[in-house]
Amino acid sequence: MATTTESATATATAATAPAATEPAAADRNLRLIRRAYRAFHARDVGALLQTLDPQVEWVHPDGMAGYGLGGTKRGHAGVREFLARVPTVLGGMRLEPREFVAAGDRVAVFGVREVTSVRGTSATLSFVHSWVLRDGLAVRMEDIFDTVEFHRLIES
């Protein structure tokens, strides 16, 4: 499915591209973001940080602040801090990106995450990740999801 979506996205990007270089940039951006997800799946923080600008903005809904997971973390240190906090709140999490849409300096990723609470309750929750790229690195990642569902799972 991802290949079909990528092909359709690349075609749509090419059809609406104001400059001949945009499809090539969109392809590079897609490769970078896929690399970031591979690093995350492998729990390779160093490889993940290689895809992120040193001053990256790592944004999660403010509604997660009570768990230490909300708001904007800045830079590699902020991302490391966020990633270190996740296992204190969750028993496990696996992201499954399902669709990638690239346009200009943005990549939107639609998917689900398999999440397990520290007490062992599991759920599948939808997410949208909005990535902004500049000079071959991600400068912003915003995680968009239903915080009410997430709260229910964490507390279960």
Side-chain angles (χ1 to χ4, degrees):
M1 180 170 146
T3 304
T4 304
T5 302
E6 284 179 46
S7 297
T9 302
T11 302
T13 301
T16 60
T21 60
E22 188 173 331
D27 288 343
R28 279 193 306 275
N29 291 343
L30 283 169
R31 283 194 302 274
L32 179 80
I33 297 309
R34 286 186 172 285
R35 201 170 93 211
Y37 284 103
R38 284 193 304 273
F40 187 83
H41 283 249
R43 301 194 189 301
D44 186 342
V45 174
L48 174 63
L49 294 177
Q50 289 176 0
T51 67
L52 307 177
D53 184 86
Q55 302 305 313
V56 67
E57 293 179 333
W58 192 258
V59 184
H60 288 80
D62 288 335
M64 297 303 290
Y67 300 105
L69 300 176
T72 301
K73 308 295 186 222
R74 298 197 191 301
H76 287 181
V79 173
R80 283 184 188 277
E81 173 190 325
F82 175 86
L83 295 175
R85 178 76 180 135
V86 171
T88 69
V89 176
L90 298 174
M93 181 173 62
R94 178 157 177 82
L95 297 176
E96 184 183 326
R98 293 192 170 165
E99 182 178 2
F100 294 77
V101 180
D105 63 354
R106 291 189 170 269
V107 175
V109 180
F110 301 85
V112 296
R113 65 179 109 221
E114 302 294 328
V115 186
T116 304
S117 73
V118 292
R119 293 178 192 91
T121 303
S122 294
T124 302
L125 306 174
S126 298
F127 71 82
V128 176
H129 288 166
S130 173
W131 295 85
V132 178
L133 298 101
R134 190 175 312 119
D135 299 326
L137 294 173
V139 296
R140 180 179 173 89
M141 190 289 298
E142 183 173 0
D143 192 356
I144 304 158
F145 57 89
D146 184 335
T147 58
V148 172
E149 279 188 84
F150 222 102
H151 281 255
R152 283 187 194 132
L153 177 67
I154 290 171
E155 298 300 325
S156 65

